[in-house]
Amino acid sequence: MRLARTEPADQEPDIRARPPLVREFLLVAGLFLAYKFGRRAANGHVEEAFRNAGSAWDLERALHLPGEGAVQGLLLHSQPLIHAANTYYAVVHFPATAVFLIWLYWRRPAHYVRSRRVLAALTGAALVLHLLFPLAPPRMLPAAGLVDTGQVYGPTVYGQTPATDTMANQFAAMPSLHVGWAVMVALGLIAATRSRWRLLWLLHPAITLVVVVGTANHYWLDAIVVVALLAVALAAFRPPLSARTVPARLPGPGVWGSGAGAPVPVYAGGGSGRYEGGGRPAISEAPVASGTYAGGAR
């Protein structure tokens, strides 16, 4: 007899699924450096970036998306709140993703491999968009009428002007990897854990979305596009069998090993094959530890 039920995947780390540590470190570091240098290579397209910003702003209004200023207005009611939002934007993005990957590597190796692939694909697609569609953030767009909260209230990760910023490409607003990575971290932790509270991980991308819009570093469209790219990457890299729920089946006849606890007929008088009083065989439904069944007919 077979039962069609499911059980959660084994929560103990499977070291066979864990890639070599040095190789993974070099691979992730190489991908990160390639992305950073790629963003720098996309710098300098000032006129195109502002032209694209105007188009993005007009498209959002045509789609009746809420104005980014509505979110920023809520944050600006409190200076500590806007300072906290700037800090979240500057500090949480990279460390949270790094801790996520490290934890998966040690505790959920099968989930780690897929998450690393999805993040690499998402980041690569984002880099292509940075190169093809340079976009000035809403804090730079005069029509938006927004405040550059990083410069005014601090802290900020950007220089005062894009031309003098040697650390980042300020015209790489599309798409928002802050939002994309945050969504992947939340989905990855939800899939890899079994806590009843695991849906609370969705607070990370929710807070990130409010922060990137409220600080005027990204448009709503930047978040929408990155979520669409992430959906494609997740579909392309399906979870391995060891990371999914698998059907749990009871052993069939003939696979009980020593026979201890096997649900086989037991006849009165022990295993001699005799019938009690010439009647039907008595079958016991409760196995005992020694592998024999209580005698006597029902």
Side-chain angles (χ1 to χ4, degrees):
M1 178 180 180
R2 300 176 185 273
L3 298 181
R5 63 186 179 90
T6 59
E7 293 179 339
D10 186 8
Q11 293 297 290
E12 290 300 317
D14 182 3
I15 60 174
R16 296 170 299 177
R18 184 181 294 152
L21 177 60
V22 174
R23 189 194 75 181
E24 286 302 302
F25 176 80
L26 294 176
L27 177 60
V28 173
L31 290 172
F32 175 75
L33 290 176
Y35 172 72
K36 292 297 288 184
F37 283 113
R39 278 175 60 102
R40 294 291 301 144
N43 248 340
H45 304 281
V46 179
E47 292 184 4
E48 185 179 1
F50 278 95
R51 186 168 58 251
N52 290 337
S55 299
W57 182 262
D58 292 341
L59 178 59
E60 285 191 344
R61 307 293 74 80
L63 295 174
H64 302 289
L65 294 176
E68 287 79 359
V71 179
Q72 186 174 88
L74 295 175
L75 297 181
L76 290 176
H77 280 299
S78 167
Q79 185 166 336
L81 185 59
I82 194 65
H83 182 81
N86 290 331
T87 302
Y88 199 95
Y89 182 85
V91 172
V92 174
H93 176 49
F94 284 108
T97 308
V99 170
F100 164 69
L101 288 174
I102 292 170
W103 184 83
L104 284 184
Y105 180 85
W106 286 110
R107 297 298 302 167
R108 304 289 186 268
H111 288 273
Y112 163 79
V113 174
R114 185 201 185 207
S115 295
R116 187 252 291 152
R117 290 172 178 170
V118 170
L119 284 171
L122 176 65
T123 306
L127 179 58
V128 172
L129 266 180
H130 296 337
L131 294 169
L132 296 179
F133 192 80
L135 181 67
R139 57 187 164 81
M140 293 183 182
L141 187 64
L146 298 174
V147 177
D148 187 341
T149 61
Q151 294 294 338
V152 175
Y153 299 98
T156 182
V157 295
Y158 302 116
Q160 289 189 353
T161 61
T164 60
D165 196 338
T166 60
M167 298 300 295
N169 177 9
Q170 297 194 41
F171 296 141
M174 173 70 76
S176 171
L177 280 180
H178 274 74
V179 173
W181 287 11
V183 173
M184 184 60 215
V185 167
L187 294 180
L189 289 173
I190 290 172
T193 58
R194 292 293 179 266
S195 168
R196 67 176 64 183
W197 304 106
R198 64 186 184 275
L199 290 181
L200 291 177
W201 289 116
L202 292 173
L203 287 174
H204 176 43
I207 294 172
T208 301
L209 177 60
V210 172
V211 163
V212 301
V213 173
T215 58
N217 283 295
H218 287 283
Y219 303 89
W220 295 111
L221 283 177
D222 301 335
I224 294 172
V225 169
V226 83
V227 170
L229 292 175
L230 177 60
V232 173
L234 288 170
F237 297 99
R238 298 178 61 82
L241 288 176
S242 59
R244 306 178 197 171
T245 55
V246 295
R249 298 174 177 174
L250 291 179
V255 294
W256 290 92
S258 63
V264 295
V266 173
Y267 307 111
S272 61
R274 293 182 293 105
Y275 292 88
E276 183 179 294
R280 296 172 61 190
I283 302 177
S284 172
E285 296 178 350
V288 294
S290 63
T292 60
Y293 289 73
R298 290 191 298 169

